[in-house]
Each structure stands twice: as structure tokens, then as C-alpha cells.
Amino acid sequence: MQDQMDIKGFFSVLKTRILTIVLVTLFVFILVGTVSIFFIKPTYESMESIVVGDLNKQTTEYAESRELNMLLASTIDFIKSPSVLNTVSNEFSISYEDIEKQVVVQNTRNSQIVNVVVRGSNAEETEKIANMIVVTTVDKMNQLFDVQDIYILSDAPNGTTAEKVGSTTLNLGIGLVIGVLAGIGIAFLKEHLDDSIRTVSQVEKELGIPVLGDLHLKKKASKKRRHEKHSTQRGRKMEIVDGEEKNEISV
């Protein structure tokens, strides 16, 4: 029974505070939409892949994969090393710290493929940065460490194509959900802070005594309306008085 009353109370608050919920939802929705369209720049993602080791070789040829694991770990560390990123930084006139934040290195366990993911606000620049990172990594490892079993994996003839990450529609959907939840939260907060008593059950709950009856009082007429009514009545009285002086009856 208590659960039913709680559910009824929940929907009662929603019904009573529906205007608050709608206004808060609209405010958050418009705010998120404005920020997404006018202030947040679109983000693009470009990915290049490097194959470490010869995939045609058997595992035993890599001394029980120990040599391959060392080569794989060294490649992952070398991709984000100053030797590679400084070269890219100088080429695109971007600081080393910014390049490092844009680059993410991914590798699945027991996989010889290393993915280099670059994110940025410029699609064309993102593609070029990703391509230059993998090219620089492979060239420097070949020259400095004489590593031959490392290749660039790319199916596209002109390199990879940057893809847009996220969308305005998704942001608006998230904003709508957040707005509804925020509206409900504010509605219940206002209900909790409101000390006014509106129903008989609230009176009985607060005072602990039964209510014998209740009166439904009409709203008082406005001052302007009372003034107009009073003027009309005075006008009618004056007509009756004038009628009596002329031996006439006015209604």
C-alpha cells in the first residue's frame, strides 16, 4: 500500500510541477544545441596501421614469440617518442604537447597490427599527420635499428579518410535526456521546499487529527471588477431616485 502511495505521489508531483519540468528541459535543450552548433568544433579521426613482424612466419621462428613481443613493444613506444613526434611537429608547426594529445596507439593482445589514431578539428590535416607518423616510424626504425619486419598497412590508394566523430543530433538527444532528468529533479526539490498545505490528507498528517469537513471558498473579485460593480449599482440607484421625482418607475 505504501508503495502505491509513493507511486501516486510521484506522478502527482510530476503533474503539479509539469511547467517547471518543461521549462527546464527546454532551457537545457536550447543550451546544448547552441553550444554544439556554434561553439564546439567538429572532431575528425584518422587511423593508420603498422604490421610488426612477418605474418607468414611461424611463431617458433621468433624464438617462442619473445623477439616478436619485444619488437612490438618497442614499436608502440617508438611511435610516441620525441624522435617521431618532433619530426611531425616541425612539419606541421604544431607543438609537441598538442601532437602527443592527438595521437592514440592501439594494439589488441596477441595481434601484430598496431593502429595509430589521430584526432583533430581539421580533416585533411588529421589524415596527413596520421600518415606521416607511421611513415616516420617505419623509416626511422629501419634506419636506426635495422628492423626490416615492419610495414605500413593501408588499402586506400590515397591514404586513409578522416571520419567525423560524434554528431549534433547525438548531442541534442543527450541534452534532451539531461534536461528531462534535471527538470524532474528541480520539480521534486521545489516540492520538498514547499511548506504549503493543499489537501485534507496533508492537514491530517501534519496535525494528527481527523478533518470533519472542508470549505471551498470562491476567489475574491479583483479590485477593478468590484469598483465597476459598485459604480453600476450606484447608477441604478440614481435612476430610481430620478424616476420617483418624475413619478416614473425605472428598472
Side-chain angles (χ1 to χ4, degrees):
M1 186 66 180
Q2 186 64 33
D3 293 340
Q4 294 179 357
M5 294 300 294
D6 291 342
I7 294 175
K8 288 178 64 177
F10 174 80
F11 285 105
S12 176
V13 173
L14 295 184
K15 184 178 179 181
T16 305
R17 305 289 182 178
I18 186 65
L19 183 60
T20 300
I21 297 173
V22 171
L23 291 178
V24 173
T25 301
L26 286 177
F27 174 77
V28 175
F29 182 78
I30 294 173
L31 179 63
V32 172
T34 303
V35 172
S36 299
I37 296 173
F38 298 103
F39 295 98
I40 297 180
K41 294 182 179 180
T43 302
Y44 297 92
E45 182 178 277
S46 182
M47 185 175 68
E48 291 278 5
S49 300
I50 297 175
V51 180
V52 179
D54 191 347
L55 295 178
N56 294 323
K57 286 186 177 182
Q58 299 295 327
T59 306
T60 54
E61 297 184 43
Y62 282 108
E64 297 181 355
S65 75
R66 184 176 303 173
E67 180 183 345
L68 177 61
N69 290 336
M70 292 180 60
L71 179 60
L72 189 62
S74 300
T75 303
I76 293 174
D77 291 339
F78 192 70
I79 289 174
K80 299 193 72 173
S81 67
S83 179
V84 174
L85 296 187
N86 279 331
T87 303
V88 179
S89 174
N90 295 331
E91 179 69 22
F92 292 93
S93 301
I94 302 175
S95 65
Y96 174 84
E97 291 77 13
D98 292 338
I99 289 289
E100 188 178 26
K101 293 177 182 178
Q102 291 180 310
V103 179
V104 177
V105 182
Q106 300 175 343
N107 174 248
T108 306
R109 187 176 181 181
N110 299 325
S111 174
Q112 295 176 231
I113 298 177
V114 179
N115 298 319
V116 179
V117 181
V118 179
R119 291 184 176 181
S121 58
N122 187 296
E124 184 178 357
E125 185 179 72
T126 301
E127 297 173 12
K128 292 180 179 179
I129 291 176
N131 182 260
M132 186 170 184
I133 288 176
V134 296
V135 170
T136 304
T137 299
V138 172
D139 290 345
K140 284 185 175 291
M141 291 195 72
N142 288 335
Q143 295 173 6
L144 299 176
F145 308 110
D146 194 23
V147 177
Q148 302 300 323
D149 291 342
I150 181 171
Y151 313 94
I152 299 175
L153 179 63
S154 178
D155 294 333
N158 298 324
T160 59
T161 302
E163 297 181 355
K164 189 176 181 179
V165 180
S167 64
T168 304
T169 304
L170 178 62
N171 293 338
L172 291 177
I174 296 174
L176 181 62
V177 174
I178 294 176
V180 172
L181 296 177
I184 293 175
I186 293 176
F188 275 90
L189 178 62
K190 291 181 66 175
E191 186 70 19
H192 178 71
L193 297 177
D194 189 0
D195 295 332
S196 59
I197 298 176
R198 303 187 185 92
T199 63
V200 174
S201 59
Q202 289 179 336
V203 175
E204 293 178 343
K205 182 179 179 181
E206 293 294 331
L207 301 180
I209 57 176
V211 176
L212 300 179
D214 60 325
L215 299 175
H216 297 280
L217 301 177
K218 294 183 178 181
K219 294 183 179 179
K220 295 182 178 180
S222 63
K223 185 177 181 181
K224 182 178 180 182
R225 187 174 178 183
R226 290 199 304 268
H227 178 71
E228 291 177 352
K229 185 176 180 181
H230 183 65
S231 300
T232 304
Q233 291 176 350
R234 290 182 59 187
R236 288 180 178 177
K237 291 180 180 179
M238 290 297 295
E239 290 178 0
I240 294 173
V241 172
D242 293 341
E244 291 178 350
E245 289 179 355
K246 298 178 182 179
N247 297 322
E248 295 178 357
I249 299 175
S250 300
V251 179

